[in-house]
Amino acid sequence: MTPKERFLGALARKEMDRPAVGCVTQSVTVDQMDWAGVEWPAAHTDAQMMAKLGIAGAKVFGFENARVPFCLTVEAEAFGATVDLGNRVKTPMLKAHPYSSEDEPVIPEGFLGKGRIATAIEAVKILKAEYGDEYPIVAGTTGPLTIAGHLVGTEDLLLMMITEPDTVHKFIKVTAEMEKQYISALVAAGVDVINMSDPSASTDMLSAEMFDEFALPYTKHAFEGSGDAKKILHICGNTTALLDHMINTGVDALSIEEKVDSAEAVNIVNGRVALVGNLGSVKPLYMGTPEECAADAARIRDAGFNIIAPGCGLAAETPKANIEAFVKAIKG
């Protein structure tokens, strides 16, 4: 069984001898940069470099997927947000919002051929041509609610959900349509899996009822561009109360953090979608020991997850031995 067959089989909830292992969130570490001879921030804006880092997790650690790009600011930048591209160990960060609540948001003209949107699409094409028969290509995108927060400020957007809900809907409607077009272009370029991360839809910020109003319908709309690609929804935090609501977006899989009890998640989901995660990115992966990483991966496997993966994005300086240990615990 190739890594691609196993990974896509896991997302389809097929019976296999073991789960798949990989990373659908931010997947790059400094060890991968050293292997590829490519590093941040240059790789954020160069398709060849991005593709090299996109496959590096598979080549260095044995992940069973490739994955690009490496942050959640790509779409916001296309809308005109100011972004600091960071450095070798720091992912890009939003520095200024392009809109106020009084403005009328507009999908950027020709955005698919410009900036880091175009870079990501081209990187997918490169990965597909070189590795597409063996590895599934995962593209990371940003949820419409999170993008809307990037446009006007997340705190302001959350306040407006109470004071000006129509304004919130105005922004998310535009970001969802933009995301639909972007996803469609990624799929046309050769993507096998879309992983949409929507951290602003977390229970740290929204109730389940607010999720159903401000996230669920727009997530569904954005994923209308996914075609035959598998769809994963990633939301940070303790999403136990959101699992049913996340399933209702129509995705194939949920990617969840370690704050959700693994066995409880399996029980709630009950085979309706695949589960991806939920190995702690901070502890044990970044701050723990190889033994702790291996034990935690085995626990998540035994709970019944379909893909054993970091519960959120990897820190660039995550120790190589810790990642190797969790991968070995699953692959043997």
Side-chain angles (χ1 to χ4, degrees):
M1 184 177 289
T2 66
K4 182 174 184 176
E5 290 169 338
R6 183 178 294 279
F7 197 91
L8 296 181
L11 289 176
R13 309 189 304 283
K14 294 181 179 179
E15 290 288 335
M16 292 183 291
D17 58 320
R18 65 166 174 83
V21 60
C23 187
V24 301
T25 50
Q26 197 301 101
S27 60
V28 171
T29 66
V30 292
D31 293 298
Q32 295 172 52
M33 296 181 202
D34 291 341
W35 172 86
V38 167
E39 60 184 40
W40 296 342
H44 296 306
T45 56
D46 182 288
Q48 289 285 350
M49 292 182 182
M50 184 178 287
K52 285 183 180 180
L53 284 185
I55 195 62
K59 298 300 184 179
V60 175
F61 299 127
F63 290 162
E64 293 177 300
N65 67 288
R67 204 271 192 191
V68 291
F70 316 121
C71 76
L72 299 180
T73 64
V74 172
E75 294 96 331
E77 187 179 56
F79 272 105
T82 302
V83 174
D84 178 350
L85 290 180
N87 55 41
R88 175 177 162 91
V89 297
K90 179 183 175 184
T91 55
M93 295 287 291
L94 199 70
K95 291 298 181 181
H97 310 293
Y99 286 94
S100 71
S101 61
E102 291 79 23
D103 294 329
E104 292 294 326
V106 178
I107 295 175
E109 183 176 355
F111 76 93
L112 293 173
K114 300 176 183 177
R116 287 192 289 147
I117 293 275
T119 301
I121 293 169
E122 183 59 28
V124 167
K125 292 178 181 178
I126 294 168
L127 286 168
K128 192 69 172 182
E130 295 186 18
Y131 302 103
D133 290 338
E134 185 177 3
Y135 294 98
I137 313 303
V138 179
T141 65
T142 312
L145 178 60
T146 297
I147 302 172
H150 289 167
L151 298 191
V152 297
T154 300
E155 290 184 5
D156 289 345
L157 190 78
L158 293 173
L159 179 61
M160 285 189 289
M161 288 179 183
I162 300 170
T163 61
E164 300 177 56
D166 289 344
T167 300
V168 177
H169 285 292
K170 174 183 72 174
F171 276 92
I172 307 178
K173 182 178 180 180
V174 171
T175 59
E177 176 58 29
M178 182 264 206
E179 191 68 4
K180 175 184 174 181
Q181 294 179 28
Y182 179 33
I183 288 173
S184 181
L186 288 167
V187 172
V191 154
D192 301 292
V193 181
I194 297 290
N195 180 76
M196 180 187 291
S197 295
D198 206 355
S200 293
S202 165
T203 53
D204 293 340
M205 302 186 188
L206 301 184
S207 66
E209 292 75 20
M210 294 172 74
F211 178 91
D212 286 348
E213 179 178 356
F214 295 107
L216 191 153
Y218 299 105
T219 300
K220 291 180 72 172
H221 181 77
F223 271 132
E224 288 176 3
S226 62
D228 293 331
K230 293 293 186 183
K231 306 178 292 293
I232 304 174
L233 178 60
H234 173 84
I235 297 180
C236 302
N238 186 349
T239 53
T240 305
L242 282 184
L243 295 177
D244 285 325
H245 302 261
M246 293 168 70
I247 290 171
N248 289 339
T249 62
V251 294
D252 300 288
L254 308 182
S255 168
I256 57 179
E257 286 192 344
E258 73 283 357
K259 294 178 183 178
V260 182
D261 180 83
S262 305
E264 186 176 3
V266 171
N267 183 57
I268 293 171
V269 169
N270 195 28
R272 289 176 290 167
V273 297
L275 281 168
V276 183
N278 62 334
L279 192 61
S281 295
V282 176
K283 192 170 184 178
L285 279 170
Y286 181 59
M287 299 177 63
T289 66
E291 292 75 19
E292 290 171 331
C293 293
D296 216 25
R299 178 187 57 78
I300 297 163
R301 175 199 63 204
D302 294 344
F305 271 55
N306 304 87
I307 299 176
I308 314 304
C312 200
L314 286 172
E317 294 180 293
T318 300
K320 182 178 183 180
N322 286 359
I323 300 176
E324 290 174 333
F326 106 76
V327 171
K328 184 178 180 180
I330 304 305
K331 295 176 73 173

